[in-house]
Amino acid sequence: MSDNPEPSGSSALQEPTLDEQIAAYQREFRDLDPQVEKVVSALGRLNRRMNVAYGRQVADLGISNAEWEVLKTLVLSGAPYRLGPGELAKRLGLTPAAMTHRIDRMAGEGLVTRDRDENNRVRVIVELTDEGRQKWLEAMRMATHFEEELLQDLSPDERGALGEMLIRLLRRVELTQPDAGGRLTDLD
């Protein structure tokens, strides 16, 4: 019996188990550390599957992951939830053209407004609408429920320890890859 924590239904996904993947890698690359590979591969699979789950949740709300990112960024900016398109693009790691396309779509859906800055008529301001804030709140409710279910088998101490370990890994990546926070390509 394998100590692989993957669900038994993973064969239906046409993806090898982590143990099978690591064994195949070791056949081809003998210098592989199986403990490191198990951690990194598990994190990658977890991230991919969580992104799919979050994508389904926001799709149920009638928005895309790309739109969710804009809503989240505006909320994180603090009340009154306003940023310029250039600042939004920078924070999301997008080109100005991709950001303009995204803002156009979201303004048409009533999630944001785009108006000229009253103090600087050249500057455009993107602002979260009440509808956009409600979509963000509902997405947060759904995500919170999903995340609680995800971590239900971990004790509070285990959750705390896991969080600290993941933050240490994140800091290592941020130190060695400071430019890795953006995108290699636009997602729109």
Side-chain angles (χ1 to χ4, degrees):
M1 181 174 186
S2 169
D3 64 340
N4 193 341
E6 287 190 284
S8 60
S10 65
S11 64
L13 298 173
Q14 303 300 318
E15 186 172 30
T17 66
L18 285 178
D19 288 337
E20 291 167 343
Q21 177 181 323
I22 292 165
Y25 285 177
Q26 285 182 300
R27 277 193 315 271
E28 302 298 323
F29 183 69
R30 299 213 184 273
D31 293 338
L32 183 82
D33 181 332
Q35 287 180 318
V36 170
E37 189 59 36
K38 186 173 250 182
V39 169
V40 172
S41 294
L43 284 172
R45 287 185 186 198
L46 179 62
N47 181 57
R48 198 169 59 246
R49 288 180 173 101
M50 288 178 68
N51 283 336
V52 168
Y54 290 136
R56 287 179 181 146
Q57 289 177 344
V58 297
D60 287 346
L61 297 174
I63 60 175
S64 68
N65 278 335
E67 292 169 327
W68 159 251
E69 287 184 356
V70 174
L71 297 177
K72 176 177 66 173
T73 302
L74 288 169
V75 168
L76 289 173
S77 75
Y81 315 117
R82 303 173 70 191
L83 289 171
E87 182 62 24
L88 271 170
K90 182 179 175 184
R91 291 183 187 197
L92 292 171
L94 297 172
T95 63
M99 192 73 253
T100 298
H101 174 70
R102 198 174 290 185
I103 292 167
D104 287 346
R105 191 173 62 232
M106 293 179 72
E109 295 169 357
L111 302 172
V112 299
T113 59
R114 178 183 37 216
D115 294 307
R116 296 274 174 207
D117 185 340
E118 293 174 9
N119 299 322
N120 178 352
R121 299 298 295 162
V122 175
R123 186 170 184 247
V124 172
I125 297 292
V126 178
E127 185 171 348
L128 187 66
T129 64
D130 289 340
E131 182 178 347
R133 181 156 167 72
Q134 289 308 310
K135 294 275 187 184
W136 178 82
L137 285 168
E138 187 56 30
M140 288 299 294
R141 284 184 197 98
M142 294 168 80
T144 299
H145 179 72
F146 168 71
E147 292 158 359
E148 285 293 326
E149 284 184 3
L150 176 68
L151 297 174
Q152 70 182 342
D153 296 328
L154 301 180
S155 71
D157 287 343
E158 289 171 323
R159 290 178 185 195
L162 178 59
E164 290 302 316
M165 288 185 277
L166 291 172
I167 288 170
R168 286 190 352 232
L169 295 176
L170 178 60
R171 285 186 185 133
R172 173 65 57 197
V173 171
E174 289 172 344
L175 284 171
T176 60
Q177 306 289 321
D179 62 340
R183 306 234 188 285
L184 295 177
T185 59
D186 290 334
L187 299 179
D188 287 327

